[in-house]
Amino acid sequence: MMETSFEKYTHLNDPPVDGAPFHILVDEDKCIGCGLCVKQCPCQSIELVDRTYSSKQRPACQTDCPAGVDVRAYMAVLTQDGDFTRAWKIITQANPLPAVTGRVCPHTCEGACNRQAVDTPVNINGLERAVGDYGLEHNLGFDKPPLSLGKNVAVVGSGPSGISCAYHLARTGYNVTVFEAKDVPGGKLRDAIPAYRLPKDIIDREISRVLDLGIDIRYNIRLGQDITLETLRKDYHAVYVGVGAQKDSRLGLAEDTGPAILGGLDFLDQASQGKATSPGKKVVILGGGNTAVDAARTARRMGAGVTVAYRRARDQMPAYPHEVSQAEEEGVEFKFLVAPVGINGNQAGAGIVLTCSEMKLCPDDPGGRPRPVPVPGSEFTMAADTLITAVGLEVDPGGISSLMEGLGWIKTGPHGQTAMTGVFAGGDVGTAPGTVSQAIGMGRMSAMAIDAYLNGKALDPDSKLNISYKGMPMADLGAIDRNTAPLVPVDDRFNPLDREVALSLTPDQAMAESRRCLACGSQKSSFTGLPYFGKLCLACHNCEVVCPNQALEFPHFYRVNKGRWSTHFDYPKNGVTGFPNPFMEENTPDYDALASRITPTEKVIYRRRSVRMYTKDQVPREDIHRILEAGRFAPSAGNSQPWRFVVVRDRDFMDEMNRDVVAWSRKITRLYQGKHLIHRLIKGALGIFKPGAIDQRPMVAMQALNTPKFGTGKMDVFFGAQTSIFLLQNRLGISNPHFGAGICAQNMVLAAHAMGLGTCYVGFVSTGLNMDRTIGKYKKRLGVEWPFDYVATVLTVGYPAVQTDNVIRREFPRVTWMEKNDEAASKK
């Protein structure tokens, strides 16, 4: 309570706020630097500041990289000083074959790249290739370990999984022997991927560099024929099986073998060795994966006309979309929703006739994909000189049947452990056929598991927090064009036949592209305050609720103990009190437990928070009407309903008004912050005669309009909402129409949030319309006329871009209870 009536005329300018300067508590292992707290802050007193990376976090690109490459780290090196050698060393800490994966990886990392919340993902795949090629051009090599650990490990298979496992073991100090069934290393890198995608010399040079670590490789040794698993277990301390899936699956139709029918993998293997015979003038390929597309493009290079038939739709093809597009450019025809039902002919030189049925998609199968079923009576035939089947791959069980447990592959633990002690497995044999990057990653993880096993230790569980900005509004960071490498023109791709189609980024392009990286996790939230006001804010606590990882705690409340602007609250005394406690329990209950005991209306009241980040989706008119109906049924004195509504859904109009409101707020801010005597006198007078307009708190928010701290430095007073509702108040309304308009607005707000929408009161706009002629010109365009020419408030309405509604701690208004017994006691 105020001590004297005079006190309400003191501290008219910049009242003393108790507890200032404010600060915010940040758990740096939870804060991912997304900036949502900054965008939600009405005062812009929070901003992102640089920090060292948290060891308990991992950027989304690395999380989704099967090989585990620290993409962020090598991007930083390229951005800072263009050091390709250091970048290569960072990549090869996890992936020994960057020039390979830079050509054939499906770059799932880009699908997780947080840059796509701004514009498009960073071209991580192109950068990896540029760095990998740099390593080859400059003959970069791996440092051998200074000492041998004196333990021997056998690796079966020299494909990407086996080479990766051998590489990581050798660099750790183990003596590694690789057993390869053929006379050259590489596995499916060499046998299954055509040279126009992955030149053979790239494979040779990448693997040769790995073998130079002192790895012993023995060729023409096939597990199950030349050596047994039991022998390897006896002669070596541990064994890694990475034999790959080397067999084509059959169609399951009568006459699905013969001289005119080839398996896709066999065809590619023969072609890679230069042993494939001409497939004829007309080739039909069955399948929709990368093997089918690779076989189709290879057959085109051998002069055949090629049709690929796939039983599902185009967007369900497992093949990489860019490879499908390139195949079409080269003349490959695709037929979708087509499946074989019979084969006739199948004679050498005479060709075959394939009977097919059109398919339709039915509800999802157990794997979550729409299930193709035949369309009755839709059968048709296709003639071909050669039929190539690419409908799946299988693991040859020779030598490893004891590990397969009746399955089509070896059942392994998360790090490649098998049921057999000391034996680990990975790659296709451990997961069913996958990508090169997945195989490399499994080899690396198994090498770590082997090291732990040989040292009697357990691998620590991976519990790092994923730094993902998926679904977060980031467009205001500013778009930057993506750098891409060109493709060889279609007319030049077949000369020579193995000419590499995709080219590499230039060094300048690579440098420019690396600068598009957001360096996720390199910043944290910090309470830095505002010009003029210092470390002060409204203490709305919205920064806490909008944080996706609950990394922030704001321990302050806006409190003024003396002067004109003194507050009259009791304040929460710890981090628990202040949350909803409708049943007056001694200990404030956890809200999740409380929610089951309260009404839906109470839930909306407690959880509703202002939304300052909206999607660009427009709210349907019928939903806006529901919100207006909630306002229409608000109580008012004498049932006078002293209000009208103007609904604005013209974003261009709102943008125009926004520019003028921001300019007006800049003038008011200069006035408020002026140090001259005239400024102080004006502020003092306004503090007495128009206190609602000159209180420090709206001035703090106005300052924020002119000093935004996220993105391109522009603030939108409508926060990107596509709809705004102007609530007009009748100047002739009875019995405090301001109060009635407030109830009307709150009805609409609660209705909107109950519908899953978001709202925000925008006092900047309503105050500007009522005070400033420059902004007041919009009244005519809005159809505002006397007596409804006072804008009570403006509500933004839209779909929240992020989850905002949640409970917060609030101050306690003082309550005086007067019971009958109390009054009787006072008369005695």
Side-chain angles (χ1 to χ4, degrees):
M1 297 294 293
M2 306 183 72
E3 296 179 0
T4 67
S5 59
F6 175 75
E7 193 168 340
K8 65 183 178 181
Y9 298 108
T10 64
H11 299 290
L12 296 177
N13 298 316
D14 305 322
V17 179
D18 183 64
F22 290 170
H23 70 286
I24 195 167
L25 304 176
V26 181
D27 186 332
E28 294 196 27
D29 292 330
K30 292 182 178 180
C31 176
I32 59 176
C34 64
L36 290 185
C37 55
V38 182
K39 293 170 72 72
Q40 180 69 4
C41 177
C43 304
Q44 294 296 280
S45 51
I46 302 175
E47 66 180 303
L48 296 177
V49 298
D50 292 339
R51 65 157 183 187
T52 57
Y53 296 129
S54 168
S55 62
K56 296 182 179 180
Q57 298 178 356
R58 179 186 294 117
C61 53
Q62 185 178 4
T63 299
D64 275 40
C65 173
V69 173
D70 190 346
V71 177
R72 178 181 63 184
Y74 82 79
M75 292 287 176
V77 167
L78 292 175
T79 299
Q80 292 163 7
D81 52 22
D83 191 335
F84 279 73
T85 298
R86 281 182 60 204
W88 181 84
K89 289 182 178 180
I90 291 170
I91 293 174
T92 55
Q93 288 175 0
N95 174 15
L97 310 174
V100 169
T101 52
R103 286 168 166 81
V104 302
C105 179
H107 41 272
T108 53
C109 53
E110 292 185 23
C113 175
N114 289 322
R115 177 86 210 181
Q116 64 190 321
V118 181
D119 41 39
T120 56
V122 174
N123 188 356
I124 301 171
N125 192 229
L127 283 164
E128 185 176 51
R129 171 172 171 172
V131 173
D133 285 354
Y134 177 92
L136 293 177
E137 292 164 5
H138 292 78
N139 296 313
L140 300 182
F142 304 121
D143 296 329
K144 294 182 179 180
L147 296 173
S148 169
L149 298 177
K151 294 183 179 180
N152 305 319
V153 181
V155 174
V156 182
S158 66
S161 179
I163 286 294
S164 174
C165 185
Y167 163 80
H168 287 286
L169 288 169
R171 294 197 73 179
T172 306
Y174 291 99
N175 303 318
V176 182
T177 301
V178 177
F179 296 89
E180 169 55 47
K182 295 187 176 182
D183 57 2
V184 288
K188 285 168 62 178
L189 292 178
R190 189 181 303 277
D191 301 340
I193 303 178
Y196 64 81
R197 287 181 59 204
L198 179 59
K200 304 307 177 191
D201 71 302
I202 298 294
I203 301 172
D204 293 337
R205 294 163 68 191
E206 291 268 81
I207 292 180
S208 175
R209 184 167 51 199
V210 173
L211 298 180
D212 286 345
L213 284 168
I215 296 169
D216 178 25
I217 186 166
R218 302 180 187 179
Y219 298 109
N220 299 308
I221 297 180
R222 185 176 295 275
L223 187 64
Q225 293 182 12
D226 305 301
I227 196 169
T228 66
L229 188 59
E230 289 71 22
T231 300
L232 293 178
R233 293 184 69 199
K234 179 180 178 182
D235 295 343
Y236 293 87
H237 294 93
V239 179
Y240 179 73
V241 179
V243 295
Q246 300 287 357
K247 291 176 59 178
D248 288 292
S249 299
R250 294 180 57 178
L251 285 175
L253 298 175
E255 299 187 33
D256 66 353
T257 60
I261 298 180
L262 303 175
L265 193 60
D266 286 340
F267 172 70
L268 291 171
D269 186 13
Q270 293 295 308
S272 73
Q273 300 179 55
K275 298 178 181 179
T277 58
S278 172
K281 294 183 179 181
K282 194 168 186 178
V283 173
V284 172
I285 297 177
L286 300 177
N290 289 315
T291 300
V293 176
D294 285 342
R297 297 178 71 186
T298 299
R300 280 291 296 131
R301 283 160 171 74
M302 298 173 72
V306 181
T307 299
V308 175
Y310 180 53
R311 64 180 184 149
R312 299 179 189 268
R314 182 191 184 104
D315 61 358
Q316 297 165 326
M317 291 184 74
Y320 306 151
H322 66 279
E323 297 288 343
V324 177
S325 297
Q326 291 173 29
E328 289 180 318
E329 293 171 356
E330 294 166 7
V332 175
E333 179 187 6
F334 286 85
K335 287 184 178 294
F336 299 104
L337 294 172
V338 169
V341 294
I343 300 174
N344 293 308
N346 196 9
Q347 299 296 320
I352 64 170
V353 176
L354 183 69
T355 301
C356 297
S357 173
E358 294 179 4
M359 310 295 283
K360 64 179 180 180
L361 297 177
C362 291
D364 293 356
D365 62 19
R369 302 171 72 193
R371 179 171 51 90
V373 297
V375 176
S378 64
E379 290 78 10
F380 64 97
T381 60
M382 288 194 293
D385 297 309
T386 300
L387 174 66
I388 297 177
T389 63
V391 294
L393 300 174
E394 299 175 1
V395 174
D396 185 346
I400 57 172
S401 57
S402 58
L403 292 172
M404 298 180 73
E405 302 180 19
L407 303 172
W409 58 90
I410 299 174
K411 186 176 181 181
T412 65
H415 301 109
Q417 308 95 323
T418 72
M420 192 175 290
T421 302
V423 178
F424 300 77
D428 291 349
V429 76
T431 60
T435 68
V436 171
S437 298
Q438 287 173 328
I440 289 172
M442 290 192 66
R444 181 176 71 90
M445 293 303 297
S446 293
M448 295 169 58
I450 290 170
D451 178 55
Y453 162 74
L454 293 177
N455 286 280
K457 299 178 180 178
L459 283 178
D460 293 330
D462 183 2
S463 58
K464 291 190 176 183
L465 177 66
N466 184 36
I467 304 174
S468 174
Y469 303 158
K470 185 176 182 180
M472 298 181 187
M474 297 283 177
D476 42 6
L477 286 177
I480 303 174
D481 289 340
R482 176 180 164 111
N483 294 271
T484 57
L487 302 176
V488 171
V490 176
D491 292 343
D492 298 332
R493 291 182 189 175
F494 295 4
N495 184 25
L497 296 180
D498 60 355
R499 182 173 185 177
E500 188 172 11
V501 171
L503 304 180
S504 182
L505 294 172
T506 66
D508 287 344
Q509 283 182 308
M511 291 281 293
E513 186 62 16
S514 70
R515 287 191 285 270
R516 296 182 69 238
C517 176
L518 298 179
C520 304
S522 63
Q523 294 184 304
K524 67 174 182 178
S525 301
S526 178
F527 195 92
T528 55
L530 287 163
Y532 183 81
F533 295 101
K535 291 192 173 183
L536 184 69
C537 79
L538 308 183
C540 67
H541 294 252
N542 280 355
C543 54
E544 294 178 324
V545 299
V546 79
C547 177
N549 297 316
Q550 295 78 53
L552 307 181
E553 180 183 350
F554 190 74
H556 306 282
F557 293 89
Y558 187 90
R559 180 173 184 172
V560 178
N561 291 324
K562 54 187 176 180
R564 177 70 166 177
W565 312 110
S566 61
T567 52
H568 302 275
F569 295 112
D570 293 324
Y571 293 87
K573 297 179 180 179
N574 55 50
V576 176
T577 60
F579 285 111
N581 188 10
F583 301 111
M584 299 183 293
E585 299 177 30
E586 181 177 353
N587 296 315
T588 303
D590 177 78
Y591 181 76
D592 289 338
L594 175 66
S596 63
R597 303 161 56 196
I598 58 179
T599 66
T601 301
E602 289 173 289
K603 293 177 185 178
V604 175
I605 291 171
Y606 294 146
R607 291 178 56 85
R608 184 264 166 192
R609 311 301 317 145
S610 293
V611 173
R612 294 180 176 85
M613 291 172 279
Y614 294 95
T615 71
K616 293 184 178 181
D617 301 310
Q618 183 61 275
V619 178
R621 287 175 63 104
E622 52 267 31
D623 287 346
I624 298 297
H625 177 72
R626 289 175 62 185
I627 295 170
L628 297 176
E629 282 291 276
R632 184 167 72 93
F633 278 83
S636 59
N639 196 31
S640 61
Q641 290 194 321
W643 51 72
R644 284 179 57 188
F645 310 113
V646 177
V647 180
V648 177
R649 294 158 66 82
D650 182 344
R651 197 50 244 201
D652 291 338
F653 177 86
M654 293 162 70
D655 289 338
E656 183 182 349
M657 184 181 291
N658 169 68
R659 288 190 292 269
D660 284 340
V661 170
V662 172
W664 166 75
S665 72
R666 194 175 297 121
K667 291 187 295 184
I668 298 299
T669 297
R670 284 198 295 265
L671 168 65
Y672 185 89
Q673 296 180 6
K675 299 293 185 180
H676 297 299
L677 176 61
I678 186 65
H679 290 124
R680 297 182 64 82
L681 290 174
I682 292 174
K683 287 166 60 177
L686 288 173
I688 296 173
F689 299 108
K690 201 171 181 60
I694 204 67
D695 187 309
Q696 179 176 237
R697 286 165 289 189
M699 292 300 106
V700 168
M702 277 197 175
Q703 171 71 70
L705 274 181
N706 297 282
T707 54
K709 295 181 178 178
F710 189 92
T712 56
K714 297 178 181 179
M715 180 73 84
D716 174 17
V717 295
F718 297 102
F719 309 112
Q722 300 300 306
T723 296
S724 55
I725 300 175
F726 290 70
L727 179 59
L728 310 181
Q729 179 184 311
N730 187 344
R731 290 185 181 274
L732 303 180
I734 63 175
S735 299
N736 198 345
H738 292 285
F739 182 67
I743 297 174
C744 173
Q746 187 68 353
N747 265 25
M748 292 193 290
V749 164
L750 295 179
H753 285 257
M755 294 162 59
L757 299 171
T759 64
C760 186
Y761 290 97
V762 187
F764 307 122
V765 178
S766 56
T767 302
L769 284 168
N770 293 325
M771 290 182 59
D772 188 83
R773 290 184 179 181
T774 302
I775 305 172
K777 66 184 180 183
Y778 292 99
K779 284 188 174 182
K780 183 175 181 180
R781 296 170 63 181
L782 290 167
V784 176
E785 298 177 337
W786 187 89
F788 292 92
D789 60 346
Y790 183 83
V791 183
T793 192
V794 178
L795 293 177
T796 57
V797 182
Y799 296 103
V802 295
Q803 172 63 43
T804 303
D805 284 359
N806 209 336
V807 293
I808 63 168
R809 292 179 298 147
R810 295 298 298 264
E811 303 89 339
F812 298 97
R814 291 169 183 168
V815 179
T816 299
W817 293 77
M818 180 174 287
E819 306 282 0
K820 182 175 182 180
N821 292 339
D822 296 335
E823 185 177 3
S826 65
K827 293 180 179 179
K828 293 182 180 180

